[in-house]
Amino acid sequence: MASAPQQLPMFYNDLIPLNSNEHLDWSTKPLENANFVKNQHAVPVTSDEFVQVSRHFPIIFSAGDRPVPLALMGMNEGVNIFVDDEGKFNAPVYLPAYIRRYPFMLARLSPDAEELSLCFDPTSGGVGAFDDGMKLFDGTEPSQTTKDILGFCEQFEQAGARTQAFVDELIARELLMDGEVAINQQGNDQPFIYRGFKMVNEEKLRELRGDELRKMNQNGMLPLIYAHLFSLQMMRDIFAGQAAAGKVPELGTVGAPAA
């Protein structure tokens, strides 16, 4: 059996390439819960999703040299205010494609591999030799279910490439800066301060030349930037949700809202 990638992304405990030799009679079925996301406070999102995500979650960028857009589901590591202790979403919210893709994903089976292979997490409980579920193979050929999964994963990879181009453009224009947010809680004199993430610098955005802004509007960057900036106001809503659940950390500078 071909080996899976050594470094596993968020959510995945293991990765196995899907193949007809070993998984001919296997099926997939909906996951019974979202325990895999229960303790994740920040989930990667693509730029294609910014408008939908911004209606439900703050969008930030991770710190470091290769920033990644993230949807905040909690202000502190290990806290997700949208998933209850039983692994159920407690409110109707938009689910980022990164969540909907699990337990499948496209991955290179070796560092020098040119092609991506459809893999799955065998620990998820959503793929196996079930009596029920949707078959992954029709004879020895991929079933329509598998073709649909593959198509979704391919679309996700394409969206990821567009997202990287968007972030690269923000970096090239020096529009990303270190973020900081101070949140006041009633009854406390000192604010809770969150750092360790990046956000768009509104001052530098306003200083861009007219031709630069026109180009960014034409290529679709400006709506994405404003979706990000408007969504940041929901950080306080996320914090309020943590406070209501008794999951606010000790007062002072606290863990960064980044993955």
Side-chain angles (χ1 to χ4, degrees):
M1 181 180 69
S3 61
Q6 296 299 311
Q7 292 185 340
L8 296 172
M10 181 191 299
F11 299 163
Y12 297 82
N13 298 308
D14 193 6
L15 275 178
I16 293 178
L18 181 67
N19 67 85
S20 59
N21 291 329
E22 298 184 49
H23 311 123
L24 188 63
D25 296 324
W26 284 33
S27 302
T28 182
K29 61 183 180 181
L31 299 178
E32 295 181 356
N33 56 60
N35 279 330
F36 63 96
V37 73
K38 181 171 65 175
N39 296 320
Q40 299 292 340
H41 73 298
V43 175
V45 294
T46 67
S47 54
D48 291 19
E49 304 175 277
F50 269 31
V51 173
Q52 298 100 311
V53 172
S54 68
R55 298 188 180 113
H56 300 273
F57 313 108
I59 301 170
I60 62 169
F61 296 84
S62 61
D65 296 332
R66 303 289 289 177
V68 174
L70 302 166
L72 282 183
M73 297 184 173
M75 291 297 292
N76 295 90
E77 290 187 12
V79 179
N80 187 325
I81 67 168
F82 296 93
V83 182
D84 63 25
D85 292 337
E86 296 180 353
K88 306 293 185 182
F89 280 90
N90 52 34
V93 292
Y94 174 81
L95 296 184
Y98 191 96
I99 294 177
R100 287 181 278 125
R101 179 184 62 164
Y102 185 78
F104 296 93
M105 71 172 292
L106 291 175
R108 288 182 173 83
L109 301 183
S110 62
D112 56 349
E114 294 185 3
E115 294 185 355
L116 297 172
S117 299
L118 183 61
C119 301
F120 66 92
D121 183 351
T123 73
S124 67
V127 184
F130 308 133
D131 293 332
D132 56 352
M134 297 169 286
K135 290 295 184 182
L136 292 169
F137 290 95
D138 183 3
T140 59
E141 296 298 317
S143 67
Q144 186 59 49
T145 294
T146 298
K147 292 177 182 178
D148 291 343
I149 292 170
L150 177 61
F152 181 82
C153 290
E154 289 175 340
Q155 292 172 11
F156 182 85
E157 293 297 320
Q158 294 163 5
R162 290 189 290 271
T163 304
Q164 188 59 62
F166 168 67
V167 174
D168 288 345
E169 189 70 17
L170 292 178
I171 294 173
R173 296 179 184 273
E174 299 182 343
L175 285 175
L176 286 181
M177 68 175 188
D178 292 335
E180 178 178 311
V181 60
I183 300 177
N184 293 299
Q185 185 184 37
Q186 188 174 2
N188 288 320
D189 295 332
Q190 298 296 319
F192 290 83
I193 301 174
Y194 288 89
R195 302 188 180 102
F197 64 99
K198 291 185 180 294
M199 58 183 287
V200 167
N201 187 325
E202 292 188 69
E203 184 176 344
K204 285 194 173 183
L205 182 64
R206 288 192 294 267
E207 292 175 352
L208 289 177
R209 300 193 313 269
D211 59 327
E212 292 180 300
L213 286 171
R214 184 166 57 252
K215 180 181 177 181
M216 292 171 66
N217 186 48
Q218 291 172 343
N219 65 20
M221 283 187 66
L222 272 186
L224 302 182
I225 290 173
Y226 284 121
H228 150 66
L229 289 173
F230 293 151
S231 76
L232 295 177
Q233 297 299 318
M234 282 188 288
M235 280 187 170
R236 288 167 174 79
D237 297 332
I238 300 294
F239 181 88
Q242 283 192 198
K247 296 181 179 180
V248 173
E250 293 184 7
L251 189 61
T253 302
V254 293

